[in-house]
Amino acid sequence: MRRKSFLFVNRKAPYGAGRAAEALEAALVAASLGQEVHLAYLDDGVFQLLAGQEPARLGRRDFTASLQELGEYDIDHVWVDGQSLRERGLTPADLLVAATLLDRAAMAELMAGMDVVVSI
Amino acid sequence: MRRKSFLFVNRKAPYGAGRAAEALEAALVAASLGQEVHLAYLDDGVFQLLAGQEPARLGRRDFTASLQELGEYDIDHVWVDGQSLRERGLTPADLLVAATLLDRAAMAELMAGMDVVVSI
Amino acid sequence: MGPLHTVNKSPFAGPALDSCLGHLTEGAALLLIEDGVYAAVADSAAAAKLAMAAGRYAIYALGPDLAARGLGKASLLDGIMVIDYLGFVDLAVRHSTVQAWL
Amino acid sequence: MGPLHTVNKSPFAGPALDSCLGHLTEGAALLLIEDGVYAAVADSAAAAKLAMAAGRYAIYALGPDLAARGLGKASLLDGIMVIDYLGFVDLAVRHSTVQAWL
Amino acid sequence: MKFAILVNEDPFGHQAAQSALSFAQAVLASGHELVRVFFYMGGVYNANRLASPPMEDRNIVREWAELAAKDGVDLVICIAAGVARGVREANLAPGFRISGIGQLVEAAVIADRLITFGA
Amino acid sequence: MKFAILVNEDPFGHQAAQSALSFAQAVLASGHELVRVFFYMGGVYNANRLASPPMEDRNIVREWAELAAKDGVDLVICIAAGVARGVREANLAPGFRISGIGQLVEAAVIADRLITFGA
């Protein structure tokens, strides 16, 4: 299969109308098929990265476990919108992954440069 | 069956994630069972009342037809949040029903006085 | 007592919380559930509007929903009471109606 | 040409439009579909932010979605072009990617 | 006190059904009466016997069925919503029955409180 | 040009599936190629043969099936999402097949454009 750059855009909080686990699942499959995978978190999507989540309290599988093992899937690109974090009173220290903070202009350039953008 | 006052609260635009037809259907059934039925429209819910809708363009049943015959179901109470209308650049003349405009305080009192509040 | 209002949306994702806060009446209470609990966090941009209401109305947040989202140990706004589902039932009993801001 | 962005949410119901507008780049276009088309109406509180973008980017609205919502004859913001599904396909062809602001 | 519950959403796409189920269990644990749970719109998927969520996830359909079996809770799905979505007698989970929206109205009249869970 | 489409939602609760279907039809009417439509999460309900919407409403499931029959479009539902929601071989509408998310990735690689429709 040809290798393309994929950006998975996450803009929603987990659990409520949550698609967090499914978006991550798709990204992991893309990576396992040798694609160049990028994950972007903006707006309420940054809540997906919050440390200390306990999905078991809602009887849900813990998708954050996979988030902490992205390196094993060769996913090195995790991008977070800095403004979204700040508006929610969060700092990078509150997150469960090492993510690169981007400002809006940089995030926009990233998006524009991808082969495929997937929203889930 | 005992008679109670029911308020059906509509806060969402039709069609998109639309529950407009289903909310109205439930209200019509309540009225036909002799309940005192009130309909409230606020936030994007006021778009449900916009005249000139053509649901057939999306292959949908025309729920606005029932809206125009509320009198036949003995539903006399249609309440609209005036501020929601104004924010959307709408006036009562744009609506397909004769509705009573309320300010927030009056709407809040209406809500607080109901026996049953249904959100769909 | 007045109505119990429930808000299940993030304060950043739509107007549900704002709209609900604008319709609280004497004796009303607000319960944050599901994604609504994000509004309870002390430092967020949504805190200010909730803080105003917290002085006049009883405001609750559902504990299991906070914990699931990693907010179990977060510092919440002053005055917000954390309850479980039994507490939710109890609130529903003590208020005249329950209105969900869907 | 840059990406085509689609917005399918009402500008009053959440931050999708705002967030999208903040991420438009040189050569990008915006297509309003589904509840997104409410943003195209000239007189609404959402008009101002879209009007700014309309000067710099091509902005489209899907005709069937406008018509279904009773906006088929509404006066739209200056510069917004109404297209049908064939036009949507054509836009997708002419832009590098299509990004849905879900 | 008598409670009725309205569930508007699919158990998979939104937390509403989970919240409704937890609330229903708490109503019973508190010694109150649960008159009826009515499933409307996407809520009818809560009654789909064919659903089989991953082992790690809560099985909402089965937990509703247990509530009916153990506590005799009346679980009713909207017939129109069910037919449209393909939830019918043939694939109805145990404990559920199919009827009209009148059952929602009746439940709200009989109960002291109606609690809605939706999107 | 080659297109692929991703559908994330139930055809009843949200307009996304309708939009996707109209877009798919326009792709074919324009003479382009539609490589695959992939149905993920609630999107798998688009393939539920048991669904039977009211006469006045567009029958989305049937229109997808027609697209497959007439134009040979490859309609694939996600197996994990289907099993969870009870959409399986036994009740799969004609024209659909069941496979993994890899089919979405492959479609996006083969196609020149991936268009997503969701909530």
Side-chain angles (χ1 to χ4, degrees):
Chain A
M1 212 183 300
R2 190 153 84 81
R3 181 175 166 93
K4 282 190 173 181
S5 55
F6 279 71
L7 178 66
F8 291 85
V9 178
N10 297 278
R11 295 186 52 253
K12 290 171 192 150
Y15 313 117
R19 280 103 170 90
E22 289 91 343
L24 187 58
E25 182 67 21
L28 296 181
V29 169
S32 71
L33 291 172
Q35 302 300 312
E36 178 190 323
V37 171
H38 298 250
L39 300 173
Y41 295 85
L42 53 161
D43 297 329
D44 272 357
V46 301
F47 286 134
Q48 296 181 24
L49 302 180
L50 210 50
Q53 296 179 60
E54 304 173 36
R57 294 291 294 268
L58 304 178
R60 300 269 192 104
R61 178 169 45 106
D62 186 6
F63 76 94
T64 67
S66 310
L67 267 179
Q68 288 166 298
E69 298 169 355
L70 290 177
E72 301 187 20
Y73 293 91
D74 290 322
I75 299 181
D76 308 313
H77 311 289
V78 182
W79 311 102
V80 171
D81 176 50
Q83 185 181 325
S84 298
L85 268 191
R86 284 189 298 277
E87 286 170 359
R88 287 158 185 79
L90 302 174
T91 71
D94 297 313
L95 307 184
L96 52 79
V97 291
T100 307
L101 264 59
L102 296 180
D103 64 16
R104 282 205 156 180
M107 181 71 85
E109 285 306 324
L110 178 83
M111 289 170 168
M114 291 286 141
D115 293 327
V116 180
V117 179
V118 186
S119 308
I120 284 177
Chain B
M1 213 184 297
R2 190 152 84 81
R3 181 175 166 92
K4 283 189 172 181
S5 54
F6 278 71
L7 178 67
F8 290 85
V9 179
N10 298 277
R11 294 185 52 253
K12 289 171 192 149
Y15 312 118
R19 280 102 170 90
E22 289 91 343
L24 187 59
E25 182 68 20
L28 297 180
V29 169
S32 72
L33 290 173
Q35 302 300 311
E36 178 189 322
V37 171
H38 298 250
L39 301 173
Y41 295 86
L42 53 160
D43 296 327
D44 272 358
V46 301
F47 285 134
Q48 296 181 23
L49 302 180
L50 210 51
Q53 294 178 62
E54 304 174 37
R57 295 291 293 270
L58 304 178
R60 301 270 191 103
R61 178 168 46 104
D62 186 5
F63 76 93
T64 68
S66 309
L67 266 179
Q68 287 167 299
E69 296 170 354
L70 289 177
E72 301 187 21
Y73 293 90
D74 290 321
I75 298 180
D76 308 315
H77 310 289
V78 182
W79 312 101
V80 172
D81 175 51
Q83 184 181 326
S84 298
L85 267 191
R86 284 189 298 277
E87 286 170 357
R88 287 159 185 77
L90 302 174
T91 70
D94 296 312
L95 306 184
L96 51 79
V97 291
T100 306
L101 262 60
L102 296 180
D103 63 18
R104 282 205 155 180
M107 182 70 85
E109 285 305 325
L110 178 83
M111 289 170 167
M114 290 286 142
D115 292 328
V116 180
V117 179
V118 186
S119 308
I120 284 176
Chain C
M1 291 244 265
L4 172 67
H5 298 267
T6 64
V7 169
N8 73 341
K9 302 288 188 311
S10 159
F12 306 100
L17 178 65
D18 282 335
S19 198
C20 173
L21 290 175
H23 291 87
L24 296 182
T25 45
E26 190 66 31
L30 166 61
L31 170 61
L32 304 169
I33 68 170
E34 300 173 6
D35 288 349
V37 300
Y38 288 116
V41 178
D43 305 322
S44 89
K49 46 193 168 197
L50 202 56
M52 285 229 329
R56 298 180 52 197
Y57 305 99
I59 303 188
Y60 305 86
L62 199 58
D65 283 332
L66 284 165
R69 287 162 179 79
L71 305 175
K73 290 162 187 159
S75 57
L76 303 185
L77 267 176
D78 279 353
I80 293 193
M81 291 161 276
V82 177
I83 60 170
D84 60 11
Y85 276 99
L86 294 173
F88 185 175
V89 171
D90 191 49
L91 280 179
V93 168
R94 290 192 287 114
H95 287 85
S96 54
T97 54
V98 182
Q99 177 169 353
W101 287 77
L102 303 184
Chain D
M1 290 245 265
L4 172 66
H5 298 267
T6 63
V7 169
N8 72 341
K9 300 289 189 310
S10 159
F12 306 101
L17 178 65
D18 282 335
S19 197
C20 173
L21 290 175
H23 292 86
L24 296 182
T25 46
E26 190 66 32
L30 167 61
L31 169 60
L32 303 169
I33 68 170
E34 300 174 6
D35 288 348
V37 301
Y38 288 115
V41 178
D43 304 322
S44 88
K49 45 193 169 195
L50 203 56
M52 286 230 328
R56 300 180 51 195
Y57 304 99
I59 303 188
Y60 304 85
L62 199 58
D65 283 332
L66 284 165
R69 288 163 178 77
L71 305 175
K73 291 163 187 159
S75 57
L76 303 185
L77 267 176
D78 278 354
I80 292 192
M81 293 162 275
V82 177
I83 61 169
D84 61 11
Y85 277 100
L86 295 172
F88 185 174
V89 171
D90 191 48
L91 281 179
V93 168
R94 290 191 288 114
H95 286 86
S96 54
T97 53
V98 182
Q99 177 170 352
W101 286 77
L102 303 185
Chain E
M1 185 170 263
K2 290 178 179 167
F3 281 89
I5 293 175
L6 169 62
V7 181
N8 292 338
E9 296 298 322
D10 184 354
F12 306 101
H14 195 279
Q15 197 190 331
Q18 285 179 59
S19 301
L21 178 57
S22 294
F23 185 84
Q25 290 163 339
V27 165
L28 296 170
S30 305
H32 296 293
E33 185 181 344
L34 183 51
V35 169
R36 182 172 294 151
V37 184
F38 189 82
F39 299 87
Y40 196 32
M41 303 186 290
V44 301
Y45 289 123
N46 282 272
N48 184 9
R49 189 168 48 76
L50 303 174
S52 175
M55 290 268 287
E56 314 94 304
D57 286 356
R58 186 175 183 182
N59 190 322
I60 310 268
V61 176
R62 192 191 303 152
E63 284 194 50
W64 284 122
E66 287 167 3
L67 220 59
K70 192 163 61 76
D71 300 283
V73 176
D74 188 24
L75 307 175
V76 182
I77 75 164
C78 170
I79 185 163
V83 169
R85 289 167 181 77
V87 184
R88 312 166 186 180
E89 286 296 346
N91 58 336
L92 198 67
F96 289 85
R97 63 186 182 91
I98 303 178
S99 189
I101 311 181
Q103 296 281 305
L104 166 63
V105 176
E106 189 194 66
V109 170
I110 293 170
D112 300 296
R113 301 285 183 275
L114 172 72
I115 323 285
T116 305
F117 293 90
Chain F
M1 186 171 265
K2 290 177 180 167
F3 282 88
I5 293 175
L6 169 61
V7 182
N8 292 338
E9 295 297 322
D10 184 355
F12 305 102
H14 195 279
Q15 197 191 331
Q18 286 179 58
S19 301
L21 179 57
S22 294
F23 185 84
Q25 290 163 339
V27 164
L28 297 169
S30 304
H32 296 293
E33 185 182 344
L34 183 51
V35 169
R36 183 172 295 151
V37 184
F38 189 81
F39 299 87
Y40 196 32
M41 303 186 289
V44 301
Y45 290 124
N46 283 271
N48 184 10
R49 189 169 48 74
L50 302 175
S52 175
M55 292 268 287
E56 315 95 302
D57 286 356
R58 186 174 183 183
N59 191 322
I60 310 269
V61 176
R62 192 190 301 151
E63 284 193 51
W64 283 122
E66 286 166 5
L67 218 60
K70 193 162 60 73
D71 301 283
V73 176
D74 189 23
L75 307 175
V76 181
I77 74 164
C78 170
I79 185 164
V83 168
R85 289 167 181 77
V87 183
R88 312 166 185 183
E89 287 296 346
N91 58 334
L92 197 68
F96 289 85
R97 64 186 180 92
I98 303 178
S99 190
I101 310 180
Q103 296 282 303
L104 165 64
V105 176
E106 190 194 66
V109 170
I110 294 171
D112 301 297
R113 300 285 183 275
L114 172 72
I115 323 284
T116 305
F117 293 90

